[in-house]
Amino acid sequence: MYDVVNPRPVCLTPEEYPSPVFWKTCLFLLTSVALHAQVATNADARLKSLEDAARSAQSSGDNAWMLVSCALVLFMTGPGLALFYGGLVRRKNVLGTMMHSFSLMILATLLWAVVGYSLAFGEGNPFIGGFQYVFLHGVGAAPNADYAPTIPHLTFMAFQLMFATITPALISGAYAERMKFSTMLVYTTLWMLVVYFPMAHMVWGKGGLLNASLGGRIPCLDFAGGTVVHITSGISALVAALVLGPRAGYGREPMKPHSLVLSVIGACMLWVGWFGFNAGSALNASGLASSAFVATHFGAAAAAAGWMLAEWLHNGKPSILGAISGCVAGLVAITPAAGFVQPMPALAIGFLAGLFCFFMVTIVKMKLGYDDSLDAFGVHGAGGTLGALLTGVFATSLVNPIFKDASGRTLASGLLEGNVAQLGHQAVGVLIALSLGAAGSFVCLKIAAALCGLRPGSEQEEDGLDLSMHGEEGYNLES
């Protein structure tokens, strides 16, 4: 040791050395610092591990719900819609009608896998998607953050496929009992390319003209397909009915449903499947999915009550056919609003849809005289239009804060919340869907007619499409 004044070595006596307590204190402090650093590192690692586990659990839960929703929406087409439509036609056409739904499950899947998904959800222009997902190139287990950041891209693609499957099947209700099977296949293929894929891109695709959350110029609120599915299919159904003309004997002989039992079963399946249709459109297992689930159920029940009440007052008694028709009308009308409205507005939308669709089916259709065999336009076209417009009225940021300003502040969603312009945006979306569906359907029908002819021969139609188109009968009473 050195003296400060006289820098020469100075020997310390034993009494002058630091005590053992000093050294123990130093060792304790050094050990504490090291342990603190290690604990901090371990805490950070554990926190990151917990965050990763939470994200993994959320992804697994969301994916499980979305896979169930995929199955529920497919369940709506077959057996739901197949049974619902199959029971409403005459016995000689039951298989042909059910064949429409089943064959379109096949056709839509093939088109979707090859090019449909890319045209609907690829990045392109405001009217149609690009070709980056052709043959599902780049669609794998990793999520697509633009559409659904917590589920695999494959799951999102499959869920949207089920919508593309049921939409053209809804149109078949208008041409049931009188369109050639080959014509139906050609017409539907063209219709998907000309109408469905562009409309899906405009409303749901990134950069689509009407997309409310991904850069659309005209933000039209459509949670699960009021414009994309129901308005396009409904107006296309009306055009098909007009181009084809009425069924042989329409208006002169009875054409009652051959089995309301089948139709009731099918309607119940549609009601159950619609929870996947609407609540699944939240794209995760969240509170928004719960809200859409409740709105869907309330809308269906209120519409069935509305239709039954109108029928009771108009005809003197309610019918099971009216009840199930009203139920479907309510499901249609609540579809665009399901993820934007609270339960009481859902009841209002459903009840109004039941009354309005009853009016369209029983009064307007009868006065105009068109033969929309199974009321695809009166239920889906009319109900979808009403629901899309009422979404602009009742949408609330309390359910889904979809609109925000540059600072992140939540803005009003619907008319009653203060967003007056939204009703106009909804009307534009409705007009685009009606125009595209009507013009596209007409052109596709004319091309299909030129290639295959529209209707079977009069004898084939009289015998029924089960025998004339498929060589089978739905009921073999001799066996």
Side-chain angles (χ1 to χ4, degrees), residues 98-281:
M98 298 178 82
M99 184 65 166
H100 290 154
S101 294
F102 189 81
S103 61
L104 292 178
M105 290 164 64
I106 301 167
L107 177 62
T109 299
L110 299 178
L111 287 172
W112 193 252
V114 173
V115 71
Y117 179 70
S118 190
L119 293 178
F121 290 95
E123 292 189 39
N125 57 54
F127 304 99
I128 191 70
F131 294 100
Q132 65 264 49
Y133 298 136
V134 168
F135 295 106
L136 299 184
H137 174 73
V139 180
N144 184 317
D146 290 325
Y147 294 121
T150 64
I151 61 174
H153 197 175
L154 270 174
T155 302
F156 176 79
M157 179 278 299
F159 180 66
Q160 297 298 337
L161 162 61
M162 303 314 167
F163 286 71
T165 297
I166 195 170
T167 305
L170 296 174
I171 305 173
S172 69
Y175 56 71
E177 302 192 299
R178 65 189 189 282
M179 181 182 277
K180 293 171 66 176
F181 185 70
S182 58
T183 305
M184 184 274 295
L185 294 175
V186 173
Y187 164 70
T188 301
T189 299
L190 295 172
W191 188 88
M192 296 283 285
L193 293 168
V194 173
V195 178
Y196 185 82
F197 299 151
M199 195 68 205
H201 178 76
M202 281 190 273
V203 176
W204 294 329
K206 184 179 181 180
L209 178 67
L210 303 172
N211 192 306
S213 60
L214 291 174
R217 298 176 188 173
I218 306 171
C220 177
L221 298 177
D222 188 352
F223 191 72
T227 54
V228 179
V229 176
H230 298 296
I231 296 178
T232 58
S233 64
I235 191 64
S236 297
L238 177 61
V239 171
L242 294 173
V243 171
L244 279 165
R247 290 165 287 179
Y250 179 73
R252 299 190 308 273
E253 58 186 64
M255 296 184 176
K256 294 181 179 180
H258 89 282
S259 177
L260 284 175
V261 173
L262 291 182
S263 295
V264 171
I265 295 171
C268 292
M269 290 177 173
L270 286 170
W271 193 337
V272 172
W274 226 290
F275 294 127
F277 199 90
N278 287 355
S281 291

Side-chain angles (χ1 to χ4, degrees), residues 340-361:
F340 300 111
V341 302
Q342 294 178 310
M344 293 305 104
L347 286 175
I349 291 172
F351 188 76
L352 291 173
L355 298 177
F356 181 59
C357 292
F358 172 82
F359 173 77
M360 292 297 296
V361 167

Side-chain angles (χ1 to χ4, degrees), residues 278-319:
N278 287 355
S281 291
L283 300 176
N284 52 45
S286 63
L288 182 58
S290 298
S291 181
F293 191 107
V294 171
T296 300
H297 189 64
F298 281 23
W307 189 302
M308 290 171 65
L309 175 62
E311 188 176 41
W312 207 333
L313 295 174
H314 188 266
N315 299 334
K317 58 184 70 174
S319 68

Side-chain angles (χ1 to χ4, degrees), residues 316-382:
K317 58 184 70 174
S319 68
I320 187 64
L321 176 58
I324 61 176
S325 298
C327 166
V328 174
L331 292 166
V332 168
I334 201 62
T335 291
F340 300 111
V341 302
Q342 294 178 310
M344 293 305 104
L347 286 175
I349 291 172
F351 188 76
L352 291 173
L355 298 177
F356 181 59
C357 292
F358 172 82
F359 173 77
M360 292 297 296
V361 167
T362 61
I363 297 176
V364 173
K365 175 183 171 181
M366 293 300 104
K367 286 194 173 183
L368 297 181
Y370 60 86
D371 183 15
D372 177 4
S373 306
L374 309 181
D375 296 314
F377 172 70
V379 173
H380 296 277

